[in-house]
Amino acid sequence: MDVPVTAEQVLEPAAENRQVAARRRRFGELLEEFRRTAVLVPLGEADGPDGERGWLTADWNGVRFILAFSDGQALARYAQARGEFAREWTYQTVLGARLLDVAVPAAGVPCGVALDCADGPDGMVFPPVRGVVPDDAAVDFETGGAP
């Protein structure tokens, strides 16, 4: 039995495709802005292999995220959310492109960057996928063959 298709059913996928395309464009714009911007990356508590403190990271669902902040106020909101507002936060200023192109591949595990993670929907996640990080660090890229 054939069920008639309404005009709304035909037009809805096109509207959804436009929304998806608009969201992808917006993400691309935010990614390019992040790549050009210097952000604050706090140092973690643990010592690195050379006795230096590494960057503050958080692991979520098998992916490590380097925590970065757009400014001192965003870092202060994170410190407040952790109940650690009174302690001194040491950080480095790093270009977003350097985080994505150098630090993420050097992590040795699936890794991305979380920007302003205490700001809820105003924060941003740059996951370890093609187009965001180098292909060899992307979790959606198979080496030696087509993705």
Side-chain angles (χ1 to χ4, degrees):
M1 171 183 218
D2 289 329
V3 178
V5 177
T6 66
E8 291 86 20
Q9 291 170 319
V10 172
L11 295 176
E12 189 173 314
E16 184 176 311
N17 288 340
R18 283 193 303 273
Q19 289 177 344
V20 169
R23 288 182 180 143
R24 286 179 191 262
R25 274 192 307 277
R26 180 64 182 139
F27 179 80
E29 292 166 358
L30 292 171
L31 175 61
E32 286 308 309
E33 182 178 343
F34 176 73
R35 294 180 67 75
R36 292 188 304 265
T37 302
V39 294
L40 309 181
V41 183
L43 299 180
E45 295 295 321
D47 287 340
D50 297 327
E52 295 181 12
R53 291 168 56 190
W55 288 333
L56 185 64
T57 62
D59 291 348
W60 186 67
N61 285 345
V63 177
R64 177 159 299 153
F65 287 92
I66 299 168
L67 304 185
F69 299 91
S70 56
D71 56 31
Q73 291 82 13
L75 176 55
R77 288 188 296 275
Y78 176 78
Q80 183 69 38
R82 288 182 52 109
E84 299 179 19
F85 191 74
R87 84 168 175 93
E88 181 179 338
W89 286 81
T90 305
Y91 62 85
Q92 294 178 337
T93 303
V94 183
L95 194 60
R98 184 167 171 80
L99 288 175
L100 295 174
D101 297 342
V102 178
V104 164
V109 297
C111 185
V113 177
L115 178 67
D116 298 340
C117 58
D119 291 349
D122 293 331
M124 190 72 194
V125 174
F126 299 101
V129 296
R130 289 181 300 159
V132 176
V133 300
D135 286 350
D136 60 340
V139 295
D140 63 338
F141 184 76
E142 294 179 25
T143 58

